[in-house]
Amino acid sequence: MKTGKLWKALILAGIMGIAGGLAGCGGEKADKGASAAVSSNGKKIVKIAHTAHYFPYDYVDDKNQSDGMEVAVMKEVAKKLPRYEFQYVPTSDDDLLIGVESGKYDAGTKGIWKTPAREKKYIFPENNIAASVIGVTIRSEDADKIHSLEDFAKAGKKLVPIAPQNAQYQVIKDFNTAHPDSPINLEASENFQVADAYSWVLEGRYNGYLSIELAYKKNVTAPDAAYKDYKNKLTYIRYKALPTYVLVNKNDKELARQINQALGELKKEGKIAELEKQYFGEEISPLLDQK
C-alpha cells in the first residue's frame, strides 16, 4: 500500500473509532436513563407523592415513615401490582400537584376531590381511594334552627368567602345548581387564615364557615386544638361525604387502569372499610351514598 493510501486508511479508521466510541457513550447513557426507573429486582419504580402533615390521610409518622389512610390503601394496591415497586415521597401540596402534572411523580394522594379543572390536568381512577366529610361551622346559638346546609341556605345565611381555586368553591356551586330556589350567596375571596374564619363567624360578620370535618376537629374540638376556646361557641353540621382520589399523571394510563382495578378489588374485599375504621374511627364511604 502506498504511503498516501496508508495514511488515509488510518485516518478513516480513527474517525470510525471515535464515532463508535461516541455512539457507545450515548448508548450507555440511554441504558442508564432507562434503568433509573427500574429497581434492583427488575420492577418498574412508581413514585407516589403524598402530603406530609395531613393526618390521618397522608403524613409522616414518628419513625419518619409514610403513613395515613390513603398511604395505607396505596400499600395494599402495591401488593396487587407485583410488577411495580411503589416508592412514597412526602412533600408539600404544591409540589405534589405540580410534580404529578409534570411527571416528576407518577401519582399522588392528598385527600383530593375531583373537579372539572383538575380532570384536565390529571387522570382520576374511577374508583376513589377514601372519602372526606364536609360541612358548615355555625354559632352554637343558631344550632336549634339550622340542622343542615339546606336550612342554612333557606335562612339566607352568609358563608365565609371561598377562594375560587379551592375545591370547596365547586361544592357550593354544585349545591346551588341542585337548589335553584334557595342558593347560597357564594362570595369569592383569596385564601385567609383559619383563625379569621372562626372569628368572623363568632363576630356575626358571617354565619357559617364551610370546611371538612377533619379540620374542625383538629382546630376546635381536639384536646390540643389551637382554637379550643371556641368549642362551646361553635357547632359543626355535616353536609355530605365526598370521595377522595389518587391523582395519576396524564401519560400513565396503564398505571391508572391497574390502580383503578386494584382499588375496586380492595373495596369488594372490605379492606378499604377496614382501613377507614382504623384511621378514622368509623366507615366514611357509606356516607357517600347519603343525599
Side-chain angles (χ1 to χ4, degrees), residues 3-275:
T3 304
K5 291 184 179 180
L6 177 61
W7 276 107
K8 285 182 180 180
L10 290 172
I11 292 170
L12 181 60
I15 292 173
M16 292 179 67
I18 292 171
L22 290 174
C25 290
E28 184 177 351
K29 287 184 180 179
D31 289 343
K32 285 183 178 179
S35 65
V38 178
S39 67
S40 58
N41 56 5
K43 294 184 177 183
K44 180 179 178 181
I45 292 174
V46 174
K47 291 187 177 180
I48 308 292
H50 67 85
T51 42
H53 305 289
Y54 191 40
F55 183 89
Y57 287 85
D58 309 278
Y59 60 92
V60 176
D61 65 18
D62 54 8
K63 296 179 181 178
N64 205 34
Q65 298 297 310
S66 295
D67 200 352
M69 168 65 190
E70 293 183 333
V71 171
V73 173
M74 289 307 294
K75 289 180 178 179
E76 293 297 326
V77 168
K79 293 177 184 178
K80 292 181 174 291
L81 305 179
R83 60 174 287 201
Y84 297 112
E85 179 179 307
F86 284 15
Q87 294 183 354
Y88 303 93
V89 185
T91 187
S92 66
D93 280 41
D94 289 343
D95 181 62
L96 185 151
L97 293 172
I98 294 170
V100 174
E101 183 179 2
S102 67
K104 177 181 178 181
Y105 308 116
D106 299 287
T109 64
K110 61 182 296 294
I112 200 165
W113 304 332
K114 185 187 297 184
T115 67
R118 289 169 178 169
E119 287 185 279
K120 294 177 181 179
K121 298 180 178 181
Y122 314 98
I123 298 175
F124 283 81
E126 182 179 346
N127 286 303
N128 60 300
I129 187 171
S132 63
V133 176
I134 192 168
V136 61
T137 299
I138 63 172
R139 293 184 293 275
S140 294
E141 62 191 56
D142 295 331
D144 60 333
K145 300 175 183 177
I146 299 175
H147 306 101
S148 65
L149 193 59
E150 287 81 358
D151 291 342
F152 186 91
K154 289 177 181 177
K157 300 295 186 180
K158 293 173 61 179
L159 271 181
V160 170
I162 306 172
Q165 65 269 25
N166 191 317
Q168 295 176 12
Y169 192 89
Q170 186 66 43
V171 170
I172 299 302
K173 286 185 67 175
D174 292 342
F175 176 91
N176 288 345
T177 299
H179 302 82
D181 296 330
S182 56
I184 293 174
N185 182 19
L186 183 56
E187 184 178 341
S189 175
E190 294 302 317
N191 290 320
F192 47 80
Q193 297 297 318
V194 171
D196 291 337
Y198 294 129
S199 297
W200 290 344
V201 171
L202 289 175
E203 293 168 1
R205 183 173 174 180
Y206 296 95
N207 308 111
Y209 170 45
L210 189 75
S211 70
I212 63 170
E213 188 173 52
L214 174 66
Y216 176 78
K217 289 180 177 179
K218 179 181 178 181
N219 292 322
V220 180
T221 64
D224 59 346
Y227 314 112
K228 59 184 178 182
D229 292 343
Y230 298 163
K231 183 177 179 179
N232 296 325
K233 300 176 182 179
L234 297 171
T235 297
Y236 188 87
I237 299 172
R238 281 182 168 181
Y239 168 45
K240 65 189 298 185
L242 295 168
T244 63
Y245 293 89
V246 183
L247 294 176
V248 183
N249 178 269
K250 276 286 189 180
N251 296 320
D252 285 334
K253 294 181 180 179
E254 178 58 19
L255 175 64
R257 185 192 69 79
Q258 294 195 47
I259 288 176
N260 181 61
Q261 181 176 328
L263 287 171
E265 292 173 2
L266 290 170
K267 282 185 182 181
K268 290 180 181 179
E269 294 164 5
K271 189 62 182 181
I272 290 182
E274 177 187 323
L275 290 172

